[in-house]
Amino acid sequence: WRITRAEKQRASSGLKEVLVLGDSRIAEGFSATLANELGSPDGLRFISLAEPAASANTWYYMVREVDPTGRRYAAIVIPYGIGYEPSSADGLRISMTAPLLRYSDCFNFASGFQRWSGGARAFVACILRGSAYQDDVADLLAHPVARMISIRETGKVHARREYKGRDYDLVGTSYDAATGQVTFAPKLTEAQRLAFRKSLIKPSQSDTEYSLKLQRDWIPRIMDRYSQSPTAIVLTPLPRGPYLALGGFSGGHESVLPSSVIHRTNFALPEHTFDFLEQPENYFDAFHLNAKGRQKFTEMLVSEVVGRVRSADSKPQDNSERQFAVNRGRASDQAN
């Protein structure tokens, strides 16, 4: 909620602004600072609203909050890919989204939860916003010192400008999907090994299907919101991880979104754009890019977006086709 509020209040840069959505994989894998260095010669500014545990339904409400007119951004980058949404994170997603909701959102928001208990809690949080923070307050009262340390660490890890990514990799670490056996590289510390083990928790089939359903239901809703807008929707596949044998994550991206959805966009990056990243040297756990992978992912994503901008700018205006590039003077239409 804090980053959403800050973005809502941020004054326009006067450049062609590109909003990047996502969960922890984008929060770890995309650097807005590097993206702005790379995109500035073409007049682009990148803003990331990626948040750990945020899912496609959360993105919809975040976008609605920061862009009520649907005309603030030149483009919005939406990631998609194989993943999972554990029910244990329901409380976090509810507390993250509750401040953005209206009473008219109650049924739609509640329908985006896999289990009845999560949906009921989401419905109540939409009506009684304070209820979304009950667990958070209880945990703070029960473990005040641990919570303060966690808050400070979270602030360090996810600081939008200073954070450069985790500085270690998984080279020399092997994973046997058949036995679940992990052989760690000697260079990894005990804390790094523990982080990797936690990332190896095999998702249930229902959690994986739930993640796919959220993307299939809510990404088109974001697209519908911008169907009459000059804002371009850019779909990008996510790199899957360094160990594709990990159950449930080896499938192709074509299984995530129907081709009919992908073909509706102004620009969709090819399915295999980031396959080159799926190596242990680019990851610090089973799903998240490290500093090296973060740089490579950002460079490739910006390169693709800049290429589209140049292509759109070079074409004559055509009223029958929405253009990616948007005049800088459009900032006057931006909601405060």
Side-chain angles (χ1 to χ4, degrees):
W1 160 241
R2 288 194 300 270
I3 66 167
T4 304
R5 179 175 59 185
E7 173 60 11
K8 183 178 181 179
Q9 297 172 348
R10 180 184 60 82
S12 171
S13 65
L15 302 174
K16 289 175 282 192
E17 296 184 339
V18 179
L19 182 68
V20 181
L21 303 174
D23 55 18
S24 61
R25 289 174 291 180
I26 292 292
E28 291 287 352
F30 176 76
S31 168
T33 300
L34 175 59
N36 287 331
E37 293 175 5
L38 298 171
S40 60
D42 289 272
L44 293 180
R45 176 182 174 85
F46 289 81
I47 302 98
S48 174
L49 282 187
E51 273 286 275
S55 50
N57 53 345
T58 303
W59 303 341
Y60 175 87
Y61 295 112
M62 294 172 83
V63 166
R64 187 182 68 179
E65 183 74 9
V66 300
D67 188 17
T69 66
R71 302 179 65 84
R72 181 178 185 182
Y73 302 102
I76 297 177
V77 177
I78 304 177
Y80 69 96
I82 300 294
Y84 72 103
E85 305 292 344
S87 58
S88 58
D90 282 354
L92 180 56
R93 284 193 289 272
I94 291 170
S95 63
M96 180 189 306
T97 313
L100 311 176
L101 299 175
R102 305 164 186 167
Y103 292 130
S104 58
D105 297 323
C106 292
F107 288 103
N108 277 338
F109 181 57
S111 69
F113 289 82
Q114 182 181 15
R115 292 172 174 78
W116 184 90
S117 58
R121 185 175 175 184
F123 186 87
V124 172
C126 184
I127 299 174
L128 304 173
R129 307 294 167 76
S131 67
Y133 306 104
Q134 284 181 340
D135 288 351
D136 199 48
V137 173
D139 187 58
L140 175 61
L141 294 175
H143 311 96
V145 176
R147 280 300 303 276
M148 293 306 295
I149 293 174
S150 175
I151 290 171
R152 285 199 297 269
E153 288 301 312
T154 299
K156 289 180 186 176
V157 171
H158 299 291
R160 291 307 192 264
R161 294 182 180 176
E162 292 80 9
Y163 185 57
K164 299 184 184 301
R166 310 294 176 97
D167 61 357
Y168 64 95
D169 60 44
L170 298 176
V171 173
T173 296
S174 62
Y175 169 70
D176 186 332
T179 64
Q181 182 67 34
V182 178
T183 303
F184 288 106
K187 64 183 179 182
L188 295 181
T189 67
E190 196 58 40
Q192 291 167 351
R193 296 182 185 200
L194 178 60
F196 179 76
R197 286 190 184 279
K198 286 182 177 180
S199 74
L200 286 178
I201 298 175
K202 185 175 181 179
S204 67
Q205 183 66 28
S206 62
D207 284 344
T208 302
E209 288 298 323
Y210 173 48
S211 172
L212 296 177
K213 184 178 187 302
L214 282 177
Q215 293 178 73
R216 292 166 184 164
D217 288 350
W218 288 89
I219 288 177
R221 294 189 192 193
I222 298 174
M223 296 168 64
D224 289 343
R225 193 169 185 277
Y226 288 91
S227 62
Q228 302 300 318
S229 166
T231 300
I233 298 297
V234 179
L235 290 180
T236 179
L238 285 167
R240 293 164 294 182
Y243 304 105
L244 297 185
L246 186 63
F249 291 86
S250 59
H253 293 95
E254 71 277 358
S255 65
V256 181
L257 291 178
S259 59
S260 58
V261 173
I262 295 177
H263 292 160
R264 284 178 53 196
T265 63
N266 303 76
F267 180 37
L269 273 65
E271 175 189 350
H272 299 290
T273 299
F274 298 107
D275 285 5
F276 76 98
L277 287 174
E278 296 170 351
Q279 302 293 332
E281 67 183 46
N282 297 315
Y283 284 80
F284 70 84
D285 68 11
F287 309 112
H288 299 99
L289 293 165
N290 59 14
K292 185 185 299 183
R294 178 183 177 93
Q295 179 171 342
K296 294 176 182 177
F297 177 82
T298 302
E299 290 174 346
M300 177 62 77
L301 179 60
V302 173
S303 174
E304 293 284 351
V305 172
V306 167
R308 174 64 181 182
V309 169
R310 289 173 178 166
S311 175
D313 283 345
S314 67
K315 294 179 181 179
Q317 291 296 317
D318 182 351
N319 291 332
S320 66
E321 179 183 5
R322 284 181 308 169
Q323 299 296 314
F324 182 98
V326 181
N327 292 334
R328 295 183 185 179
R330 193 189 51 159
S332 61
D333 293 329
Q334 177 183 328
N336 295 324

